[in-house]
Amino acid sequence: MLGLFDSGLGGLTVLRRLRDAVPAADMLYYADQAHVPYGERSADDLLRLLHHNLGWLDARGVDAIVMACNTSCGVADRYGWPPVSVPVLDLIDSAAQAVERTGLLRVGVIATTATVRSGAYGRHIVRRMPTARVVEVDAPALVPLVEAGELHGDAPRRAVQAVCDLLPRDVEAVVLACTHYPLLDEHFAAVLGTGVLRIDPAIVQAERAAQLLSERGRLTGSGTLECVTTGDLDRFRENLGIMLPDLLVHVRHADAAELYDTISNASAVPET
Ligand code: DGL
């Protein structure tokens, strides 16, 4: 079984790619909607949540954790990954691999405030492509729009336009570096046009997950999907129906005792 988590609906864009890459794999998806948006939280807070979320999935016996939250990967890259007993696939590393495959050197990264603050994208891309020029732009308005179900129309178009206006004019590729953003892809496509390549890191992430499962002889399963939210169960169920209409999903709400039994003392880190 593969474990995924995100602050909310965004990680479902990773889950969708995973489902295409490894249809038989069983999956457990944890949406921490009680704490969305992650992108405006302090590093200390994010490390505590990361420690909890990884521990929660690990305790449920997943074979691997497929990261579906860039913000959590960013803070882990900056301050260190909490130890878990299973492999963890870093989404930012997958994103950097995706950029490297394109060979494009003028790269824009649109991400949450905390991801940009971590500097992880620049580090990963430049490590692979030393001559790349990476410009990171934060987009705090986008996640709340997605969580409110505002995917179409003027409000998301204007918000995407405002963010893209901050990118250098000669950018060749743009990484959608928050898993919520592919849900706004119609707006990115319209604003950026066909001359700019849009990169969704979830595609390489799903390929790497498929490879990991195949190496471990675990490509089989019964294709079950369990989704857990810490937020409003009815709204989550409704959104799942819209976003994953063809998937049979078992959804439930996790109560506080279950959620916090795995939290122990995550180390405090200084704010940057
Ligand atoms: N979807 C997450 C990410 O990829 C978190 C977004 C948020 O809650 O701010 O960063």
Side-chain angles (χ1 to χ4, degrees), residues 164-250:
C164 293
D165 283 348
L166 301 173
L167 292 166
R169 289 205 182 282
D170 63 351
V171 82
E172 297 169 298
V174 168
V175 184
L176 303 185
C178 166
T179 53
H180 282 73
Y181 302 167
L183 292 164
L184 300 173
D185 191 52
E186 67 184 68
H187 306 294
F188 284 106
V191 170
L192 292 170
T194 49
V196 177
L197 185 71
R198 303 183 309 286
I199 297 176
D200 178 357
I203 297 171
V204 172
Q205 182 75 335
E207 270 177 40
R208 290 174 67 208
Q211 192 183 339
L212 182 78
L213 287 180
S214 127
E215 282 161 11
R216 299 182 161 230
R218 288 185 179 270
L219 272 179
T220 52
S222 38
T224 63
L225 170 57
E226 182 181 8
C227 291
V228 176
T229 181
T230 56
D232 184 302
L233 185 58
D234 290 336
R235 270 196 57 204
F236 186 55
R237 199 177 266 134
E238 198 179 305
N239 280 315
L240 280 169
I242 295 166
M243 294 174 57
L244 304 172
D246 47 333
L247 296 185
L248 203 62
V249 188
H250 172 65

Side-chain angles (χ1 to χ4, degrees), residues 90-186:
D90 177 5
L91 184 56
I92 298 182
D93 195 31
S94 292
Q97 288 186 34
V99 173
E100 189 178 24
R101 279 186 197 178
T102 71
L104 298 172
L105 292 173
R106 295 194 295 273
V107 182
V109 172
I110 301 180
T112 67
T113 305
T115 300
V116 171
R117 195 177 54 209
S118 77
Y121 262 88
R123 282 194 294 281
H124 277 262
I125 294 171
V126 169
R127 199 175 297 142
R128 287 177 178 275
M129 307 172 79
T131 56
R133 202 187 68 210
V134 182
V135 175
E136 301 187 47
V137 171
D138 68 338
L142 301 187
V143 168
L145 283 169
V146 172
E147 288 291 320
E150 285 202 54
L151 303 183
H152 312 289
D154 282 353
R157 176 64 58 92
R158 276 198 307 272
V160 166
Q161 178 80 59
V163 173
C164 293
D165 283 348
L166 301 173
L167 292 166
R169 289 205 182 282
D170 63 351
V171 82
E172 297 169 298
V174 168
V175 184
L176 303 185
C178 166
T179 53
H180 282 73
Y181 302 167
L183 292 164
L184 300 173
D185 191 52
E186 67 184 68

Side-chain angles (χ1 to χ4, degrees), residues 6-7 36-39 69-71 112 143 178-180:
D6 186 35
S7 59
V36 69
Y38 273 15
C69 176
N70 290 274
T71 305
T112 67
V143 168
C178 166
T179 53
H180 282 73

Side-chain angles (χ1 to χ4, degrees), residues 49-67:
L49 294 167
L50 171 67
H51 187 276
H52 168 264
N53 299 347
L54 291 177
W56 190 86
L57 289 170
D58 197 13
R60 266 137 201 91
V62 299
D63 298 303
I65 296 172
V66 180
M67 290 300 290

